[in-house]
Amino acid sequence: MKKFRSFLTEKRADTTQNASVTELFPALAFNHKFHPTSVEDFKKFLYKTNLKGVNAKKSFQVKDASSAALVIERLPLMKETFSKTKIENAIGITNYLYDLHDEKPISKVVWGYRAKPKGIPKSHAGDIFVLFTDKSWLGISLKAGAKKSREPLYNTYVGTQYDKRGWSKDKLAKALWTQVYKKIPGVTTVGEDGIKPTAKEFYKNTKQRKKIVGHYVDMFEADQSAADELYHKQVKVCITQLCKEVNKMSNADFIDWLGSDFNLEKKGEKVPLILVKAVGKTADRKGDDLAPVYKTITGHIAYRNKKSVQEWLIDVFLPEGKLTLTMVCRSDSGVRREKGTSGQGRLGQFLQLKVLYTGVKK
DNA sequence: AACGTCTGTCGCCTGTTAAA
DNA sequence: TTTAACAGGCGACAGACGTT
């Protein structure tokens, strides 16, 4: 078991590391006026860079200095394939920065790992921040991946979504209880603890939650396919209820929802956000099909994709035609006994399954 | 048939807020 | 003050699908 745990942390360290390579390295390169030509070239530059030097210090906040050092330190520990593709991405992003610089002069580029530069809103989605010589800022959300991969834009939870829009969770909870939770073996019986979860309280009351999670983990271990089936049912119920709520929204509310929650590229912000995506050694501005037109939406209809476990769709109607928004609802955590009664995924998340918007359907 | 790309499914980590 | 829950963000990977 111990081995498995350390496997997970190692795996996670890799993903943070992977992302950091594409964020930090282009900032360092730009601030040193370094033009990388190859992966080896880039590595050499990094190893000889003094992170305490003036140009390096432009590249991150003091608070992130040790994280920056760690990213470089770990570079030789990365799997060859990762370090290669990620540094190639970093080359593409560095070149993108130089192109941007030609259009409008840049004074520095800052890695926004945990600390953001002064003047940047705390929750800004940018990964790196560009300070132009005219003192204006631009946040860049970096993506890396396959040419057509779709990265989530809106990223929240079912219950959070309900609360944010002021929807009552009663119907959702009732449907989940009768169609999903009640069916976990042992849940509706009174145990030695004297607890019998109720439809009304099952997802709010801590004791009831813990009891339910305990039975669910037992079920998961005893019969994985039955547990999977229940999980799929849970997703189905959530999507069905979400669709009902979305379809009840007025057109004005719906447009407001997209504008405030969907992280669309918007002009006129204090610190605008653009999406830049690296594929191999090239990086380009990633278009956003919804942002320019969402205010002209005249109607919408949300529905479940019956061929998929987790996908649901929203058709939106525009004067010039129809667009389909791709949505996802899913668990974001696994089920493993050693996690105990908190932190379990799937049914263990109750009303807090993920809700994602992953872009306009092509 | 081999190979690269894409889609769908999966889930870990960190920071913040609420509860014990 | 410590622990649990919540919210938000990121990436990996298998199998299906296309292309050469």
Side-chain angles (χ1 to χ4, degrees), chain A residues 6-73:
Chain A
S6 73
F7 165 73
L8 288 176
T9 36
E10 274 163 30
K11 190 173 159 190
R12 177 56 203 179
D14 274 352
T15 65
T16 303
Q17 174 77 9
N18 285 352
S20 298
V21 166
T22 64
E23 296 160 5
L24 171 65
F25 293 0
L28 281 171
F30 184 88
N31 293 332
H32 285 85
K33 299 190 164 57
F34 168 67
H35 286 74
T37 52
S38 70
V39 172
E40 281 314 308
D41 190 31
F42 214 142
K43 279 188 185 167
K44 263 185 219 154
F45 156 75
L46 292 163
Y47 291 140
K48 69 165 205 279
T49 296
N50 172 16
L51 286 185
K52 301 215 164 101
V54 186
N55 290 325
K57 281 187 170 169
K58 289 181 193 165
S59 313
F60 43 79
Q61 300 299 103
V62 179
K63 222 181 141 192
D64 289 339
S66 57
S67 305
L70 217 54
V71 174
I72 297 176
E73 215 176 290

Side-chain angles (χ1 to χ4, degrees), chain A residues 251-266:
Chain A
N251 192 49
D253 281 350
F254 181 74
I255 290 172
D256 176 71
W257 180 47
L258 299 186
S260 62
D261 291 356
F262 274 52
N263 283 336
L264 306 177
E265 281 192 350
K266 269 177 285 184

Side-chain angles (χ1 to χ4, degrees), chain A residues 55 62-63 69 80 124 198 219 239 282 312:
Chain A
N55 290 325
V62 179
K63 222 181 141 192
E80 182 74 23
H124 199 288
T198 61
M219 178 195 188
I239 291 177
T282 60
W312 56 295

Side-chain angles (χ1 to χ4, degrees), chain A residues 188-200:
Chain A
T188 56
T189 60
V190 182
E192 288 153 29
D193 51 9
I195 297 165
K196 179 181 173 185
T198 61
K200 258 196 175 159

Side-chain angles (χ1 to χ4, degrees), chain A residues 81-248:
Chain A
T81 51
F82 288 144
S83 60
K84 184 169 170 284
T85 50
K86 293 301 164 183
I87 293 175
E88 282 175 357
N89 291 158
I91 293 172
I93 292 160
T94 306
N95 289 332
Y96 180 87
L97 292 172
Y98 285 120
D99 288 347
L100 192 61
H101 179 63
D102 289 341
E103 283 170 32
K104 185 176 173 181
I106 295 172
S107 68
K108 67 173 178 178
V109 178
V110 186
W111 182 38
Y113 180 60
R114 294 293 178 262
K116 311 273 186 220
K118 236 187 202 155
I120 306 295
K122 234 174 139 195
S123 62
H124 199 288
D127 296 311
I128 59 175
F129 296 91
V130 171
L131 179 63
F132 295 102
T133 51
D134 71 2
K135 302 274 196 281
S136 65
W137 284 98
L138 172 69
I140 302 182
S141 172
L142 291 173
K143 306 288 176 190
K147 202 177 296 171
K148 287 187 183 167
S149 60
R150 280 174 302 162
E151 296 75 21
L153 301 164
Y154 184 36
N155 191 342
T156 185
Y157 293 83
V158 176
T160 308
Q161 182 59 75
Y162 269 71
D163 292 341
K164 256 191 189 166
R165 303 307 301 187
W167 302 336
S168 161
K169 289 186 283 203
D170 292 350
K171 277 187 184 155
L172 171 66
K174 195 179 171 197
L176 281 171
W177 173 253
T178 53
Q179 295 181 55
V180 181
Y181 284 87
K182 219 168 88 176
K183 299 193 172 160
I184 301 170
V187 157
T188 56
T189 60
V190 182
E192 288 153 29
D193 51 9
I195 297 165
K196 179 181 173 185
T198 61
K200 258 196 175 159
E201 292 290 307
F202 81 99
Y203 75 97
K204 298 180 200 161
N205 180 296
T206 310
K207 284 179 183 163
Q208 296 192 13
R209 283 175 73 111
K210 286 192 169 164
K211 168 151 184 169
I212 290 169
V213 171
H215 283 303
Y216 174 57
V217 173
D218 290 345
M219 178 195 188
F220 190 87
E221 287 183 348
D223 186 349
Q224 170 119 36
S225 68
D228 283 350
E229 218 173 281
L230 264 195
Y231 163 60
H232 292 170
K233 189 84 193 189
Q234 178 193 19
V235 174
K236 187 176 168 182
V237 167
C238 287
I239 291 177
T240 304
Q241 296 297 319
L242 276 168
C243 287
K244 279 188 186 168
E245 294 298 339
V246 170
N247 288 336
K248 273 196 280 185

